Amino acid sequence: MADLKWSSDGKEMFGKIMAIVPEAMRDAVKPMLFGFLEKRAAGKTITAEIVAAMVQNDLPEPQRTGIMQALGMKKPEEQSAPATETPPAPAFTPQWQGKSEMMFSQMLEEVPEALRGVFRGKLLEILRQKSKGGLVTETYVTEVVQEIVPEPFKSKILKKFSEIGEVDISVIDSIIAKHGTTQDKLTFILHEAQEAIGYLPPEALRAISNKTGIYLSTVYNVATFYKAFRLEPKGLHHVKLCGGTACHLKDREGIAQNIEHLIQNTPGNKVTLEKTLCLGCCDCAPAVVIDDEVSQGKEAKDRIKKLLS
Ligand code: FES
C-alpha cells in the first residue's frame, strides 16, 4: 500500500478517521481501509472526496454512520433531498435477560468514545428487530457481535463475554489501573482481586490475563502455587487439618485422611479445608481446628459430619 498517492486533504481526512479508531486497533483497520481506497482511486491521487466516498460506500454499518457523524459528514440523501420531518424512531427500552445487559455494555466499551452514541442506537435497533421488541437474550447480543463486528474486534469481544461469570469482577479494572500490567505486580493484583471478590474464580484469572497481557498459564501457576490464594469461595466453616509429623504418626486409624475424604466428597460449600503443618497441640493428635477451636481426631470427625449434614 506504500504506493498510494495522497493529496494533502485526502491525507488529512484519513488521519481524522484513524484518530477515531482506538490505537490498539489501528494496525488491523488500516490495511482494510487502504484496500478500499486503492480500488476507489484506481491509480489516481487519493483526495478527501475519495476518502469520503469510501466511508459512505465501503464501510459497513454501524461503523459507517458512526464515522460520518464524528467527521460531520452528511448522508447523500440529506444533501440532496429537501428537509422533511423524520418520523421519530419507535422507543425501545430493552428488557435484558441474564447477562445480556453486561455483555452489551462490554461490546460498547470496545467502541471509541466518539462513536459510542451512534453505535448504541444502531445496536439497540438491531436488538429490537432480533427480539421483536421483547426480551433481549444473551444469544441475541452474541449474534450481533458475530454478524456485524469485524475481526479482530469480534474475537476480542467474544473473549470478554467468556470472562463474564456469575461473579462481578469489574473491580479488576481499577486494581490493574492501580498496579500496572507488569508481571512483577501479578501477586499484588491477585491479592487485591481476592480481597475484593472473596476468591479467584476462573473468569477473574482470565480477565487478569487478558487485561495485563500476562499468559493465563502464568497467572494460574501463581494463583495455585501460593496457599494464600483461593480458587473457590470460602465455606461457611473453616477446618484446619494438621499434617505434622507427630499427628501423622499417632493417627493409626487414618482419621485425618477420613476427614479429608469426607469434606472433599461432600457437595456444596459448607466447609473449607486447609491442610497445615504442626498446629502446636501434638498431644491431641491428630489435631484439627474447626472454626478456631481445637478438636482431637475422632471428636473432630463427628463435629465435621454434623456441619456437613
Ligand atoms: S504435629 Fe499436629 S499438632 Fe503438632
Side-chain angles (χ1 to χ4, degrees):
M1 299 297 166
D3 50 351
L4 290 179
K5 287 176 281 177
W6 296 87
S7 70
S8 57
D9 63 349
K11 208 169 195 173
E12 190 186 339
M13 190 160 182
F14 188 79
K16 284 181 185 169
I17 296 174
M18 280 294 104
I20 299 167
V21 177
E23 209 179 327
M25 299 177 179
R26 278 177 207 157
D27 285 347
V29 168
K30 251 187 192 173
M32 183 182 79
L33 299 184
F34 281 163
F36 291 148
L37 288 170
E38 193 177 30
K39 265 193 191 169
R40 287 210 159 263
K44 290 185 207 148
T45 301
I46 297 169
T47 60
E49 214 172 299
I50 291 178
V51 178
M54 181 272 290
V55 173
Q56 282 177 353
N57 300 294
D58 299 330
L59 293 189
E61 285 290 9
Q63 289 88 338
R64 171 178 172 250
T65 306
I67 289 182
M68 284 179 74
Q69 190 159 313
L71 294 179
M73 289 167 64
K74 281 189 175 171
K75 290 183 182 176
E77 57 269 25
E78 290 170 347
Q79 290 164 6
S80 50
T84 49
E85 218 156 281
T86 319
F92 177 53
T93 311
Q95 290 171 262
W96 302 103
Q97 177 258 339
K99 302 168 203 157
S100 57
E101 187 174 13
M102 206 186 292
M103 290 162 76
F104 184 74
S105 305
Q106 290 222 326
M107 179 167 41
L108 277 183
E109 267 177 35
E110 295 304 312
V111 177
E113 233 172 294
L115 307 182
R116 220 169 271 169
V118 178
F119 268 64
R120 188 182 159 74
K122 292 268 176 192
L123 295 173
L124 279 177
E125 176 52 23
I126 299 172
L127 286 172
R128 187 186 66 78
Q129 287 169 15
K130 276 191 179 291
S131 66
K132 298 187 173 62
L135 210 60
V136 177
T137 63
E138 294 167 16
T139 310
Y140 291 147
V141 182
T142 307
E143 277 175 12
V144 170
V145 176
Q146 280 167 338
E147 287 164 15
I148 70 159
V149 180
E151 287 292 5
F153 320 120
K154 184 195 292 185
S155 302
K156 192 177 173 195
I157 294 171
L158 292 176
K159 201 171 175 187
K160 279 196 155 194
F161 285 177
S162 72
E163 292 169 3
I164 305 175
E166 300 308 317
V167 185
D168 181 6
I169 56 165
S170 52
V171 69
I172 285 174
D173 284 326
S174 56
I175 294 172
I176 290 175
K178 179 177 159 192
H179 291 289
T181 55
T182 52
Q183 200 165 318
D184 59 323
K185 295 291 186 298
L186 180 57
T187 49
F188 295 99
I189 294 170
L190 289 171
H191 272 297
E192 276 194 35
Q194 178 170 281
E195 205 176 306
I197 301 167
Y199 70 111
L200 296 170
E203 55 265 35
L205 299 183
R206 274 199 298 270
I208 290 170
S209 166
N210 287 340
K211 290 170 203 290
T212 57
I214 301 170
Y215 288 127
L216 183 57
S217 54
T218 307
V219 176
Y220 183 79
N221 283 343
V222 173
T224 49
F225 179 79
Y226 294 105
K227 279 192 183 288
F229 297 125
R230 284 186 304 279
L231 302 195
E232 287 184 355
K234 253 187 181 175
L236 282 176
H237 302 280
H238 187 202
V239 170
K240 284 185 192 170
L241 188 59
C242 180
T245 311
C247 284
H248 179 69
L249 291 175
K250 287 185 189 172
D251 184 15
R252 295 210 173 83
E253 293 171 56
I255 293 175
Q257 217 178 351
N258 281 345
I259 290 175
E260 194 179 338
H261 189 78
L262 192 64
I263 294 173
Q264 282 170 349
N265 289 286
T266 304
N269 190 30
K270 284 187 177 168
V271 171
T272 299
L273 175 69
E274 184 189 348
K275 293 209 270 180
T276 68
L277 293 176
C278 179
L279 286 165
C281 45
C282 313
D283 50 333
C284 58
V288 184
V289 175
I290 304 172
D291 294 334
D292 295 329
E293 204 182 304
V294 182
S295 289
Q296 194 165 14
K298 212 167 172 329
E299 177 205 338
K301 189 177 158 185
D302 292 340
R303 280 187 62 197
I304 291 167
K305 262 188 184 169
K306 264 192 188 166
L307 294 179
L308 291 171
S309 66

